[in-house]
Amino acid sequence: MAGMELLSDQGFRTDGRKPNELRRIRFKKGVFKQADGSAYLEQGNTKVLAAVYGPHEIRGSKGKALHDKLLINCQYSMATFSTQDRKRRPRGDRKSQEMTMHLKQTFNAVVLTELFPKVQLDIYVEVLQSDGGNYCASVNAATLALIDAGIPMKDYVIACSGSFVKDTPIVDINHLEESTAGAEIIVAVLPRFDQIVFIEMNSRLHEDHLSRVMDQVMNGCKDIFNILNQQVKDELCKKAAIDKLVDAG
Amino acid sequence: MLTNKIFIKKTRLGGVMKIVREHYLRDDISCGSMACVKNCQGLEREPLEESPDSDSSLLRKSHYIIPDTNVVLHQIDVLEDPSIKNVIILQTVLDEIRHRSAPVYKRVTEMISSSQKHFYTYCNEFNMNTYVERKPGESANDRNDRAIRKAVGWYSSHLKDAGVLVLLLTNDVENLKYALSKNLNAYTIYDYVKSLSNKTIVDRLANPLNQSISDKNKVLFAEHLGMAEIQKGIRSGKYLQGTILISRENYLEANVSIRDKDQMVFVQGLQNLNRAVNDDVVVIEILPESEWSCPSSMVLAEDEGKDEEDEENRGLNDSEKLIQNKVPRELRQPTGRVVGIVKRNWRQYCGILQPSILKERTRHLFIPAEKRIPKIRIETRQSDALASKRIIVAIDSWPRNSRYPLGHFVRCLGGVGDKDTENEVLLLEHDVPHSNFSEAVLSFLPKMPWTITEEDLKRRRDLRHLDICSVDPPGCTDIDDALHCRSLSNGNFEVGVHIADVSHFIRPGNALDQEAANRGTTVYLTDKRIDMVPDLLSSNLCSLRSGVNRFAFSVLWEMTPQADIISTDFTKSIIDSKASLTYAEAQLKIDDPNASDNLTKSLRGLNHLAKILKKKRLDNGALSLASTEVRFFVDSETNDPIDVQTKELRETNSMVEEFMLLANIAVAEKILKEFPDNALLRRHPSPPVSNFDPLIKAAASKGFKIDVSSGKGLADSLDKAVVPENPYFNTMLRIMTTRCMMQAVYFCSGMLQPMDYLHYGLATPIYTHFTSPIRRYSDIIAHRLLAVSIGADASYPELLEKTKIQSLCNNLNYRHKMAQYAGRASVNLHTHLFFKTRVQDEQGHVLFVRKNALQILIPKYGLEGTVFLNDEGQKTSSLFVYDEEMNTQTAGNVTIHVFDPVIVQLSIDRSNVQHMKLSLKLVKPEIPGFSVPSVKDTSTLSTQEPVGKSAQKKRKMM
Ligand SMILES: [Zn+2]
């Protein structure tokens, strides 16, 4: 009884959010000058850095090159200080390798790869602080870094997670909810196409509940998209205005 | 949008690991008041009333109450008084209660969900206006007190223009001082309650916890150690921790069952017990071996204490102080003394007030019905009204200078000897949850009128065309099983067992589910049924009544005419029972040579197969043990029992039972296969051979040998032990066998080795309960597991976790045990009421011969009673000589053996108001100076038509 109550009778989650509310999102594009594109993104206490290099010539064995499209190379890692118990290996463990694969799969679906045959694009993502939803924050940060680099894409890719507690779908779950709730669903979508490019579920969830959780997560993706898109646009406008001023001056 | 709120991060330090958690603060939390003029965008209907009447002489204006954590924890009885309404429970307070006391938490949440009480939970921790951050160096308690004061301050200004005041109730001196300095309305609960016009509520106040001891000379008990010292002592092995179990015979003696060890430590004397109350978790220190002792054979209850003036300032008398009697070395047991209390397990106790000579005094002693609980000192102004009433009292504290624990009056149940009151007492004393279902629980019931939707039909197999019927005892309204059987074209039979689909209506984790899980079982008293689930489900929507469409969970078999199973199928279904029959009606149909309708054919098919199944089962070594079940015939007007009968069993009883067993075993196999780690099963361990000694000895006295090496051997040798001139001999042997058995228990498959899954009584390697989900929670879990394994329903985390399932099993085992005791106590109660106006001679048989008593079975009533051979009061030596070897008692030329027929006189012993006893006196054989003369049964038996009250349902508790 005295355990964690993920959703109170008053309808609040442990951190004060309602079931359908996201954590606070903050981000900044262009944080590195060396990279072609970069972004730093916070979703609550999960903090991620993404950097994009390329497109550039294939590194290492030329045999990896794809004759008709771009080769996307991803690397996902977690800082040793990113979790409560410090990680021994920042990358190369099974979980990181899996995450690297997932990211690669996700971005292959959205970058217009056929425009860049026989070359390579590197996407590096590092989780600086982890509080649940690492994949989602990584995808969202990488999307911003790609935009920053000016890589042509079909759409944004936005990822969001969800779960099901006390007969209620909850969205954008934090570490506590990840580790104590039941099934976790992770979805990455192209928001303007309503197209799902990645979906993962880590334990069983009945199909009756699935659609309700999916709806909630899709809404979460839309909300994240609106937040990111709004700021990206605002920044563009501001920059355009400044550029104009400079031109005029 | 949702994220642009104002954020503050909260950091919590837990242990050595730094845990950072986000904490969002909001501006959209409603104050919950109908009076609010600030436009809180809240609920449609706010719980707090617009202008509540003030009843307090302290302030005559409308007000809401905000209690602090300790007020809620310790004065919950006051808050539950119907006159206390419009209370704001702060989130800070609710969270603390959740961690500190599960029972109080449950009671608070029930009040919050009640529409009568107007309680509101204000989430102050998530509100930007009322959140406070812990200051460096500030204790968690101080921070929470500050948070509470901040919320009170906010409410005061928020509702300023609304014309409603808020007042803080706290008993903490510091908290009160700070609150007053901030110009908040704040009172102690004592002052507030005393200012109310309703004067009886004062009795519900708990005593102040920390009474200072003024007079050092009056200290009676040693101080309890603090937590730090206790932990240090346990680590070093100086102290041991365990649960204290006070002796039923002697209130000065107890055993402490040591945690994690198979060890008991003896404690003797009030000072060594050091204010430990039965069931408390205590810490003990083992005494030096020279001071070890052993249980005295004295039966000692606290005296009724007539010398009232002395009572008030009473110290400990000599026997309570423990005289160091020299115990022979070989009898000594490890003995200890209580040095600290880890956790009090106080509950509310039933009992009566000790009669007092001085009527006007307010301090009284309360005598609990449970003999292992000490008398409790309470204050009440209603002692006149409460005399000869059963009342409930809670303990608040037990200071070092008090001979008795201090408590307060909670409520009055009714007159002693009144049947409803006595029923209430036995429910409370057996910890049977029996209050009305709360509104929160009822809110999860389906909305009426309930209809079956297209969607429902799509997911279920339609079996409405089958000739399904149910067979139950007369008057049964909670029908959880129905059956059918039909011939197939290939010569085989299709047999179906259809069980009420309760898990369709009770969804995991909601308030209804939690309530059912806590209750664990429906409890059947002789004239009353305490449902596990609300009536709408138990007697209507789930009950498989005839003539209506009902949801079922069906097990379908294809069987050969030799009852060999070809295939088994499980499905959620929808059925339309063609008839709700009683055992007698079903039997008539089967036996009627002229009946040839489909239903009768179905019943005959079932009966035919059941007989074969039963034979197979018995050949396999299953035991059929006698248990006498009693049925009372009740006067329709007074509801007093007018006659008692033992129940008769028909072929159809065993027909239904056979198929229920078959279904339970089939489900057990299926869920174990699907969930090897977390299946809920039921086992019945094989008893150690030594358990059978009394049985072997008794049977040998009549020249029979009982083979106890296996279930099969036992069943066979019981069958052979028949004495033609004594038809009860075999029944008595079977009753004795029952006493040798272990208790059957629920368990989680992942916690034991497969060889331990055995059900000894049924001779099956694996078993579970599936067939009575309306009245047993275990069956609901079995339904859920089965539903998940056939893909008909969703799983949820608690269902898949073996520790959760096991702890659920522990509760179910406890509830079932208590339900059985309560059922037995109810039969006793009715027996007492039956014999209240009667003295009757009855035929009986000696079941056991004991050192100082004979245990007599009275077949007519299915009763067992004790004839004491040496009157407890008289210290004179007995007429009887006990022969341990032969197991006989001899007086003069009369020798009494086991199984001998006797005649006993039954009457009620009223010497103890709280514990009336059925008293048995020997009539025959006549023993001069001991036996009593026979009475002509003078009581006129009512000629009224017996009214069969049949709350008593079949008990398929194997
Ligand atoms: Zn308001």
Side-chain angles (χ1 to χ4, degrees):
Chain A
M1 190 70 222
M4 265 296 169
E5 197 180 31
L6 290 181
L7 188 62
S8 74
D9 292 339
Q10 290 73 40
F12 293 110
R13 292 153 69 175
T14 49
D15 56 6
R17 287 184 290 157
K18 296 234 167 112
N20 61 345
E21 289 175 347
L22 300 171
R23 294 179 284 180
R24 179 182 57 170
I25 296 180
R26 291 201 300 196
F27 68 89
K28 191 168 165 29
K29 290 198 279 92
V31 286
F32 295 132
K33 290 289 164 266
Q34 288 91 340
D36 294 308
S38 62
Y40 166 77
L41 174 121
E42 289 180 19
Q43 269 180 274
N45 271 338
T46 298
K47 301 177 181 180
V48 179
L49 208 48
V52 170
Y53 294 86
H56 56 74
E57 298 257 307
I58 299 281
R59 295 244 169 81
S61 144
K62 297 278 184 217
K64 285 193 297 183
L66 304 171
H67 72 279
D68 57 347
K69 60 180 188 178
L70 178 71
L71 173 75
I72 295 183
N73 169 43
C74 283
Q75 194 176 86
Y76 169 91
S77 58
M78 287 178 81
T80 49
F81 49 78
S82 63
T83 50
Q84 275 166 30
D85 40 343
R86 261 167 288 163
K87 280 180 84 76
R88 294 251 176 75
R89 299 175 63 180
R91 67 188 131 262
D93 58 328
R94 263 189 52 184
K95 230 170 144 196
S96 298
Q97 280 175 350
E98 190 188 350
M99 202 66 103
T100 300
M101 249 174 53
H102 287 166
L103 287 174
K104 193 168 165 179
Q105 187 189 337
T106 307
F107 285 100
N108 261 318
V110 69
V111 173
L112 298 176
T113 48
E114 60 281 5
L115 297 182
F116 306 97
K118 299 183 187 115
V119 288
Q120 173 178 354
L121 179 74
D122 298 324
I123 302 175
Y124 296 102
V125 180
E126 172 120 11
V127 174
L128 302 176
Q129 188 174 305
S130 161
D131 186 24
N134 293 350
Y135 169 82
C136 304
S138 301
V139 168
N140 299 337
T143 298
L144 291 167
L146 288 168
I147 292 170
D148 187 44
I151 306 291
M153 294 193 289
K154 270 201 257 184
D155 192 357
Y156 283 64
V157 213
I158 301 292
C160 185
S161 63
S163 183
F164 196 70
V165 174
K166 274 205 196 168
D167 215 29
T168 313
I170 58 173
V171 74
D172 188 20
I173 61 178
N174 64 26
H175 176 68
L176 184 70
E177 290 165 333
E178 263 180 10
S179 47
T180 31
E184 178 186 4
I185 290 189
I186 298 169
V187 174
V189 298
L190 310 185
R192 283 180 284 211
F193 290 81
D194 260 338
Q195 192 186 332
I196 295 175
V197 292
F198 177 83
I199 182 160
E200 193 194 21
M201 188 151 70
N202 66 356
S203 73
R204 292 210 270 186
L205 182 74
H206 194 255
E207 55 176 325
D208 287 359
H209 304 149
L210 181 65
S211 63
R212 291 174 57 199
V213 180
M214 278 300 288
D215 287 350
Q216 188 74 273
V217 173
M218 294 297 272
N219 276 335
C221 289
K222 290 246 163 68
D223 291 339
I224 296 175
F225 167 70
N226 289 334
I227 293 164
L228 300 189
N229 193 34
Q230 191 61 45
Q231 190 179 331
V232 167
K233 268 192 192 158
D234 288 353
E235 280 171 8
L236 266 179
C237 292
K238 224 191 261 166
K239 189 159 183 295
I242 292 169
D243 287 351
K244 242 185 226 154
L245 279 178
V246 171
D247 288 348
Chain B
M1 202 33 240
L2 304 158
T3 46
N4 42 13
K5 300 221 182 296
I6 298 164
F7 312 107
I8 292 179
K9 297 264 164 60
K10 184 165 97 172
T11 307
R12 297 190 200 169
L13 289 168
V16 277
M17 214 193 290
K18 184 178 171 189
I19 298 171
V20 180
R21 283 190 195 144
E22 275 188 301
H23 192 82
Y24 291 91
L25 297 178
R26 337 177 44 107
D27 57 4
D28 63 347
I29 296 176
S30 165
C31 66
S33 165
M34 294 295 285
C36 176
V37 290
K38 291 269 170 72
N39 217 357
C40 289
Q41 69 274 48
L43 317 158
E44 283 164 32
R45 184 158 179 82
E46 304 291 352
L48 299 169
E49 290 175 297
E50 188 168 352
S51 50
D53 295 333
S54 168
D55 181 41
S56 165
S57 59
L58 288 172
L59 73 175
R60 283 289 170 205
K61 286 187 186 157
S62 287
H63 58 264
Y64 302 141
I65 297 167
I66 303 185
D68 76 358
T69 310
N70 280 322
V71 167
V72 179
L73 270 181
H74 301 302
Q75 306 291 354
I76 183 86
D77 289 322
V78 171
L79 294 178
E80 277 178 348
D81 191 281
S83 66
I84 301 284
K85 287 180 190 173
N86 291 294
V87 176
I88 298 163
I89 302 289
L90 299 176
Q91 182 189 6
T92 313
V93 171
L94 198 60
D95 282 349
E96 276 194 290
I97 291 168
R98 234 172 78 84
H99 287 109
R100 285 172 60 181
S101 168
V104 173
Y105 178 73
K106 184 161 176 283
R107 288 162 74 182
V108 172
T109 50
E110 264 166 29
M111 286 195 280
I112 291 168
S113 63
S114 153
S115 60
Q116 308 294 318
K117 295 288 286 177
H118 301 284
F119 273 47
Y120 175 67
T121 314
Y122 178 67
C123 295
N124 62 313
E125 298 282 354
F126 293 144
N127 193 314
M128 51 190 290
N129 299 310
T130 49
Y131 177 74
V132 301
E133 206 150 346
R134 190 162 156 186
K135 290 176 185 164
E138 188 177 39
S139 78
N141 270 334
D142 289 346
R143 182 259 165 214
N144 285 346
D145 283 345
R146 201 155 55 80
I148 291 168
R149 290 196 301 273
K150 175 115 180 176
V152 175
W154 178 81
Y155 257 106
S156 301
S157 60
H158 183 80
L159 295 176
K160 201 175 195 171
D161 301 328
V164 185
L165 300 175
V166 287
L167 54 91
L168 171 68
L169 292 185
T170 176
N171 289 329
D172 185 293
V173 186
E174 290 290 297
N175 201 6
L176 192 66
K177 201 176 75 192
Y178 281 124
L180 292 172
S181 74
K182 290 256 167 67
N183 284 325
L184 302 174
N185 292 310
Y187 301 99
T188 66
I189 182 119
Y190 304 104
D191 291 343
Y192 181 74
V193 165
K194 281 172 189 157
S195 78
L196 299 176
S197 63
N198 172 2
K199 286 301 171 205
T200 56
I201 186 175
V202 176
D203 285 356
R204 289 178 165 232
L205 273 173
N207 283 284
L209 279 180
N210 31 10
Q211 282 177 329
S212 57
I213 299 167
S214 47
D215 187 354
K216 282 274 184 277
N217 296 328
K218 279 187 61 194
V219 170
L220 302 172
F221 297 103
E223 202 163 350
H224 287 152
L225 297 177
M227 235 14 225
E229 219 169 321
I230 286 175
Q231 273 158 5
K232 216 172 90 189
I234 289 177
R235 264 199 304 275
S236 72
K238 187 176 174 199
Y239 304 137
L240 295 168
Q241 181 177 332
T243 306
I244 195 149
L245 309 161
I246 309 279
S247 155
R248 278 175 207 277
E249 272 85 44
N250 186 332
Y251 76 103
L252 295 176
E253 294 178 354
N255 276 302
V256 176
S257 114
I258 303 300
R259 184 181 60 169
D260 302 335
K261 280 186 199 166
D262 192 16
Q263 186 193 350
M264 286 288 189
V265 174
F266 183 62
V267 182
Q268 194 173 40
L270 269 195
Q271 271 174 332
N272 284 341
L273 287 170
N274 197 359
R275 296 170 282 156
V277 177
N278 190 43
D279 227 18
D280 284 348
V281 180
V282 299
V283 175
I284 56 164
E285 179 182 38
I286 302 280
L287 296 170
E289 213 168 318
S290 60
E291 291 175 33
W292 285 11
S293 180
C294 77
S296 67
S297 50
M298 271 189 295
V299 176
L300 212 53
E302 270 189 287
D303 52 12
E304 292 291 316
K306 295 289 185 292
D307 48 343
E308 188 81 9
E309 56 265 49
D310 211 34
E311 194 73 25
E312 187 67 16
N313 295 315
R314 192 175 153 196
L316 309 182
N317 68 30
D318 284 347
S319 70
E320 290 171 347
K321 274 182 183 151
L322 175 69
I323 321 146
Q324 197 58 57
N325 43 356
K326 288 278 164 272
V327 179
R329 191 171 293 271
E330 63 276 12
L331 289 178
R332 283 180 193 169
Q333 299 177 3
T335 305
R337 66 184 184 95
V338 174
V339 294
I341 307 275
V342 176
K343 184 167 178 283
R344 292 290 197 185
N345 277 322
W346 295 340
R347 55 182 175 93
Q348 298 186 330
Y349 304 98
C350 298
I352 53 174
L353 274 191
Q354 179 166 306
S356 144
I357 302 160
L358 301 165
K359 291 287 176 220
E360 61 279 13
R361 83 183 320 145
T362 57
R363 284 160 68 78
H364 292 269
L365 274 178
F366 162 84
I367 313 171
E370 167 66 80
K371 289 173 192 158
R372 294 182 294 181
I373 303 298
K375 288 185 196 173
I376 302 166
R377 165 84 60 215
I378 64 167
E379 283 195 35
T380 176
R381 286 150 200 79
Q382 333 167 42
S383 64
D384 262 354
L386 296 182
S388 77
K389 291 275 194 289
R390 295 270 195 184
I391 62 171
I392 294 184
V393 158
I395 305 183
D396 302 321
S397 63
W398 195 342
R400 291 172 62 196
N401 60 347
S402 171
R403 164 67 181 76
Y404 300 109
L406 309 180
H408 65 275
F409 166 77
V410 178
R411 65 194 163 96
C412 175
L413 296 173
V416 173
D418 173 63
K419 192 153 60 124
D420 289 338
T421 309
E422 298 299 336
N423 264 343
E424 175 86 11
V425 169
L426 76 88
L427 290 174
L428 287 167
E429 284 304 307
H430 291 97
D431 199 9
V432 175
H434 62 285
S435 53
N436 292 337
F437 288 101
S438 70
E439 287 174 42
V441 169
L442 297 176
S443 73
F444 288 97
L445 291 176
K447 302 287 168 282
M448 296 301 283
W450 175 74
T451 49
I452 294 165
T453 62
E454 281 295 305
E455 192 64 17
D456 291 330
L457 281 172
K458 235 184 281 166
R459 292 162 168 272
R460 291 173 181 270
R461 202 180 295 177
D462 193 343
L463 302 178
R464 286 177 289 187
H465 58 284
L466 293 175
D467 290 303
I468 295 170
C469 69
S470 62
V471 185
D472 288 284
C476 174
T477 57
D478 50 349
I479 304 171
D480 31 27
D481 50 83
L483 303 142
H484 88 274
C485 168
R486 62 171 176 174
S487 313
L488 299 173
S489 52
N490 62 2
N492 287 341
F493 289 102
E494 178 195 78
V495 176
V497 165
H498 313 277
I499 305 299
D501 192 2
V502 181
S503 67
H504 173 84
F505 295 99
I506 301 184
R507 305 309 301 163
N510 68 27
L512 175 58
D513 183 48
Q514 284 172 5
E515 181 68 28
N518 178 39
R519 294 190 177 213
T521 175
T522 291
V523 178
Y524 294 90
L525 303 185
T526 314
D527 57 348
K528 198 177 176 171
R529 186 178 91 195
I530 294 92
D531 280 332
M532 179 179 81
V533 297
D535 194 56
L536 178 68
L537 293 181
S538 65
S539 300
N540 186 356
L541 297 184
C542 291
S543 180
L544 303 178
R545 301 186 300 183
S546 57
V548 283
N549 288 342
R550 286 288 175 259
F551 290 162
F553 208 154
S554 300
V555 187
L556 300 165
W557 291 279
E558 183 179 343
M559 275 187 200
T560 66
Q562 292 73 43
D564 290 320
I565 294 167
I566 307 286
S567 67
T568 310
D569 191 12
F570 306 95
T571 182
K572 292 252 181 172
S573 63
I574 175 163
I575 64 164
D576 177 12
S577 167
K578 300 295 180 283
S580 310
L581 304 174
T582 63
Y583 290 118
E585 286 165 356
Q587 191 69 53
L588 278 178
K589 272 186 183 291
I590 292 172
D591 296 342
D592 180 1
N594 298 323
S596 63
D597 54 299
N598 280 342
L599 205 59
T600 308
K601 279 188 202 151
S602 175
L603 284 168
R604 287 191 186 131
L606 289 166
N607 199 29
H608 161 77
L609 292 169
K611 283 182 189 165
I612 303 174
L613 287 169
K614 183 166 188 180
K615 180 160 186 317
K616 282 186 189 172
R617 208 162 52 79
L618 294 178
D619 288 348
N620 216 2
L623 299 171
S624 91
L625 297 177
S627 72
T628 47
E629 273 196 75
V630 191
R631 184 174 155 92
F632 284 86
F633 286 91
V634 179
D635 185 303
S636 54
E637 275 174 21
T638 61
N639 262 348
D640 281 339
I642 49 180
D643 200 4
V644 206
Q645 270 187 4
T646 44
K647 292 182 181 169
E648 95 185 90
L649 288 176
R650 292 186 175 82
E651 228 175 30
T652 41
N653 289 58
S654 96
M655 172 187 91
V656 173
E657 191 186 336
E658 245 6 271
F659 284 104
M660 295 306 128
L661 293 177
L662 199 65
N664 284 336
I665 294 170
V667 171
E669 283 165 355
K670 175 75 178 172
I671 60 177
L672 181 68
K673 189 166 152 246
E674 201 77 14
F675 301 100
D677 264 354
N678 57 305
L680 185 153
L681 301 176
R682 187 165 176 84
R683 72 195 190 99
H684 183 212
S686 50
V689 175
S690 61
N691 273 26
F692 290 109
D693 289 349
L695 174 73
I696 294 172
K697 214 164 137 187
S701 73
K702 292 283 175 193
F704 292 101
K705 197 175 172 304
I706 302 291
D707 172 16
V708 297
S709 58
S710 70
K712 171 87 178 126
L714 179 59
D716 288 347
S717 48
L718 281 175
D719 287 342
K720 283 185 203 123
V722 179
V723 181
E725 66 273 15
N726 187 348
Y728 288 111
F729 172 69
N730 191 267
T731 312
M732 283 191 281
L733 273 189
R734 288 180 197 271
I735 291 175
M736 283 182 186
T737 313
T738 318
R739 306 289 156 85
C740 309
M741 292 294 154
M742 311 284 281
Q743 189 90 34
V745 288
Y746 298 111
F747 69 102
C748 173
S749 58
M751 308 304 270
L752 290 174
Q753 294 304 312
M755 52 184 273
D756 294 327
Y757 295 176
L758 173 80
H759 197 296
Y760 180 80
L762 296 173
T764 164
I766 164 175
Y767 193 65
T768 193
H769 271 166
F770 172 74
T771 53
S772 299
I774 299 180
R775 56 196 182 86
R776 284 190 310 231
Y777 192 78
S778 49
D779 303 51
I780 293 183
I781 295 295
H783 276 233
R784 286 179 182 162
L785 289 166
L786 185 64
V788 174
S789 42
I790 63 167
D793 206 342
S795 68
Y796 53 99
E798 288 78 19
L799 189 67
L800 304 177
E801 226 176 280
K802 62 179 181 182
T803 51
K804 291 267 168 62
I805 295 286
Q806 186 57 46
S807 72
L808 181 72
C809 286
N810 296 344
N811 180 51
L812 296 182
N813 290 331
Y814 170 72
R815 293 292 189 205
H816 278 289
K817 196 171 71 188
M818 285 324 219
Q820 272 181 349
Y821 291 166
R824 257 178 249 165
S826 174
V827 170
N828 281 340
L829 173 63
H830 279 77
T831 312
H832 296 163
L833 289 172
F834 181 71
F835 285 105
K836 200 161 69 174
T837 55
R838 289 173 176 80
V839 177
Q840 222 162 295
D841 291 349
E842 288 299 342
Q843 185 85 56
H845 291 277
V846 178
L847 198 52
F848 295 103
V849 176
R850 305 214 186 276
K851 202 171 171 184
N852 63 344
L854 301 172
Q855 199 83 12
I856 310 287
L857 174 77
I858 301 154
K860 182 174 173 191
Y861 299 131
L863 275 180
E864 238 184 274
T866 310
V867 175
F868 287 98
L869 298 180
N870 42 348
D871 208 340
E872 285 164 283
Q874 295 165 350
K875 294 277 186 308
T876 53
S877 64
S878 165
L879 285 167
F880 286 88
V881 180
Y882 178 56
D883 184 338
E884 201 173 344
E885 197 51 42
M886 296 302 293
N887 204 22
T888 58
Q889 290 275 8
T890 309
N893 55 358
V894 181
T895 301
I896 298 174
H897 310 85
V898 187
F899 305 119
D900 281 357
V902 289
I903 290 178
V904 285
Q905 191 171 97
L906 300 149
S907 63
I908 292 294
D909 172 8
R910 292 155 203 273
S911 55
N912 184 333
V913 194
Q914 290 214 73
H915 303 281
M916 286 201 289
K917 268 187 279 190
L918 184 68
S919 145
L920 270 66
K921 296 194 186 80
L922 196 65
V923 179
K924 268 177 188 167
E926 282 173 41
I927 296 167
F930 183 77
S931 64
V932 294
S934 157
V935 282
K936 275 262 177 282
D937 183 17
T938 47
S939 62
T940 46
L941 269 175
S942 173
T943 47
Q944 269 173 298
E945 194 68 8
V947 184
K949 286 260 170 168
S950 110
Q952 197 94 359
K953 221 201 150 170
K954 59 197 159 170
R955 296 248 177 78
K956 287 174 289 192
M957 274 311 295
M958 290 305 271

